[in-house]
Amino acid sequence: DLETCNVVLQNNLNTPGPVPWDTLLFVFGQISYGGRVTDDQDRRCLMAILEKFVSPKIVDDDYRFSESGIYKCPDNSDTGTVDDFLAYVDSLPLTDPPEVFGMHENANIAFQDQQSAHLL
């Protein structure tokens, strides 16, 4: 799925003209990943999450993927080097907090509760 999405993204970015954000969102959310989602509510959730990441707003300097501002496009992403991107990735937390998926911190507590119960 990820490889297919990368190919579709690359092909669409190499095509002259504006970025087809709606097309990318549809292909990623309804076909590539959404094709594996069988529940309508889960597909709606998937699309809501993808809308945060597949949007023309992501190229705005002040756009953040999470409320804390940790997750964003790196500064100077249009002129950054590979080392700049690696440094940004290395600065990210090792575990993703629920906020990056639009969830409340209580989701993490519930997850940890389930993991603890499973271990016992």
Side-chain angles (χ1 to χ4, degrees):
D1 293 340
L2 178 60
E3 185 176 337
T4 301
C5 287
N6 281 333
V7 170
V8 169
L9 178 62
Q10 189 67 44
N11 288 342
N12 278 279
L13 292 179
N14 287 334
T15 304
V19 176
W21 295 105
D22 291 336
T23 300
L24 292 173
L25 181 62
F26 182 83
V27 170
F28 298 163
Q30 298 290 344
I31 299 171
S32 294
Y33 288 105
R36 298 183 185 273
V37 178
T38 57
D39 183 73
D40 287 339
Q41 297 297 327
D42 289 343
R43 186 174 290 112
R44 287 179 61 192
C45 181
L46 170 68
M47 292 302 291
I49 293 170
L50 278 176
E51 285 172 359
K52 289 181 78 170
F53 297 94
V54 183
S55 164
K57 294 184 262 181
I58 66 169
V59 295
D60 294 343
D61 289 336
D62 60 343
Y63 186 75
R64 304 291 184 253
F65 296 112
S66 64
E67 289 183 21
S68 68
I70 295 172
Y71 297 93
K72 61 180 182 150
C73 279
D75 297 330
N76 303 322
S77 59
D78 54 342
T79 60
T81 65
V82 170
D83 288 335
D84 294 336
F85 282 95
L86 291 174
Y88 171 72
V89 170
D90 287 340
S91 74
L92 295 174
L94 292 177
T95 57
D96 298 322
E99 70 163 321
V100 79
F101 303 107
M103 297 178 185
H104 190 271
E105 181 60 32
N106 286 347
N108 198 29
I109 294 169
F111 168 73
Q112 290 173 351
D113 247 4
Q114 289 175 349
Q115 291 292 76
S116 298
H118 180 70
L119 286 173
L120 297 174

